[in-house]
């Protein structure tokens, strides 16, 4: 069986967030907003005297979800909107799902796949991973406001590119091994086409988008990268599936020094390591160039682990097998092969950076 899942409506552009009151009104007269700290006042101003705005506590944990859900129930919320990054978005998706009401996502950064997907990552209050929660459906409306996204540090946009970079390669591996996607099914041809478009758009517009974003310039390249990071990467990972890149990301998280890096930055390094294990397109050099040019990590030093030991690399490689995505790769793998690929990623990364004078 093939399954493909989408958000119901995707809106992107300047001032998209200003549509929030109008969008929420269509779902009922008790709009309820969960806003990240820095967006509480903006959200209140935008909603006027309509609805209720609650500040998100910072972690997508069971206790925070229950706290906000109790306020939303008491208020009689007819729809929930999340205004912020991945964690408030994920928490709001879970609350809306459990209350059987619509969820509207207004993302303030384009760094992860949270805005469009129908799943959420649950953590303990201390920020330790617990599980992935799956919702009955994907968000009802997604608003990506270019103005707001450009106000955030460019590193978020770059990190989002790192996450999006893995999308095609992981779906491609899953397709070759007929592995199940995050929708627990095989892939449509549409999914495969969109993951390829995601990669093509990154390679075509990524470098220019970084330059433009750093200068606060709204451009075709910036718009294309927001679309690749949020829409194509989101649909692509969910309906396409995961592989070595996210496995290696998960493995890297066992090293505390890598916690200073964003999700997509570690995924980018994992993508390169994955290409050392399996690269049927012969594209690895192009991917290295891209990562170095936009500022994604290609060496152990970039990952803040310049003196990583053999023992630590073994731990990373072993932990990368935790969620079984490694089995989605079309080649025979072992912990030793993964360790060798991690080292090779760093070695070639250093050589290529030196050649570029970086
Ligand atoms: Zn990811």
């Amino acid at each position: 069986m093939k399954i493909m899942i989408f958000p119901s409506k995707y809106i992107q552009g300047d001032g998209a967030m200003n549509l929030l009151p109008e969008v929420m009104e269509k779902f009922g007269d008790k709009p309820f907003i969960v806003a990240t700290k820095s967006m509480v006042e903006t959200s209140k101003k935008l909603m006027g005297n309509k609805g209720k705005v609650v500040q998100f506590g910072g972690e997508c944990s069971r206790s925070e979800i229950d706290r906000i859900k109790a306020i939303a129930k008491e208020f009689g919320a007819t729809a929930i909107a999340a205004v912020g990054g991945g964690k408030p978005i994920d928490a709001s998706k879970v609350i809306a799902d459990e209350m059987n009401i619509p969820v509207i996502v207004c993302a303030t950064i384009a760094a992860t796949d949270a805005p469009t997907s129908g799943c959420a990552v649950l953590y303990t209050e201390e920020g330790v991973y617990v599980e992935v929660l799956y919702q009955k459906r994907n968000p009802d409306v997604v608003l990506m406001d270019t103005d707001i996204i450009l106000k955030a540090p460019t590193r978020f946009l770059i990190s989002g590119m790192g996450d999006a970079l893995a999308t095609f390669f992981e779906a491609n591996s899953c397709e070759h091994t007929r592995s199940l996607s995050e929708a627990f099914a095989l892939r449509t041809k549409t999914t495969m086409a969109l993951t390829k478009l995601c990669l093509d758009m990154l390679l075509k517009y990524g470098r220019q988008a970084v330059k433009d974003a750093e200068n606060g310039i709204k451009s075709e390249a910036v718009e294309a990268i927001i679309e690749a990071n949020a829409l194509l990467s989101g649909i692509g990972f969910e309906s396409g599936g995961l592989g070595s890149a996210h496995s290696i990301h998960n493995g890297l998280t066992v090293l505390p020094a890598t916690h200073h890096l964003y999700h997509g930055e570690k995924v980018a390094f994992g993508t390169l390591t994955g290409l050392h294990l399996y690269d049927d397109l012969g594209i690895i050099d192009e991917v290295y160039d891209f990562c170095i040019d936009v500022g994604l990590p290609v060496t152990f030093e970039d990952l803040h682990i310049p003196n990583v030991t053999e023992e630590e690399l073994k731990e990373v490689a072993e932990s990368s097998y935790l969620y079984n995505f490694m089995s989605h790769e079309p080649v025979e793998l072992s912990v030793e092969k993964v360790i060798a690929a991690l080292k090779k990623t760093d070695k070639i990364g250093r050589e290529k950076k030196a050649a570029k004078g970086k």
Side-chain angles (χ1 to χ4, degrees), residues 216-238:
I217 299 168
K218 290 172 229 164
S219 63
E220 185 191 4
V222 166
E223 292 286 352
I225 290 305
I226 293 172
E227 187 179 333
N229 287 7
L231 183 63
L232 296 176
S233 177
I235 290 173
F237 101 88
E238 203 168 31

Side-chain angles (χ1 to χ4, degrees), residues 79-127:
I80 292 185
V83 180
K87 285 176 192 278
I89 291 172
D90 273 7
S92 302
K93 290 191 296 194
V94 177
I95 296 163
D97 187 57
E98 292 177 357
M99 289 178 69
N100 281 313
I101 56 175
V103 65
I104 292 98
V105 171
C106 184
T108 52
I109 53 175
T112 68
D113 292 328
T116 60
S117 71
C119 58
V121 187
L122 192 70
Y123 296 88
T124 66
E125 281 159 64
E126 292 74 36

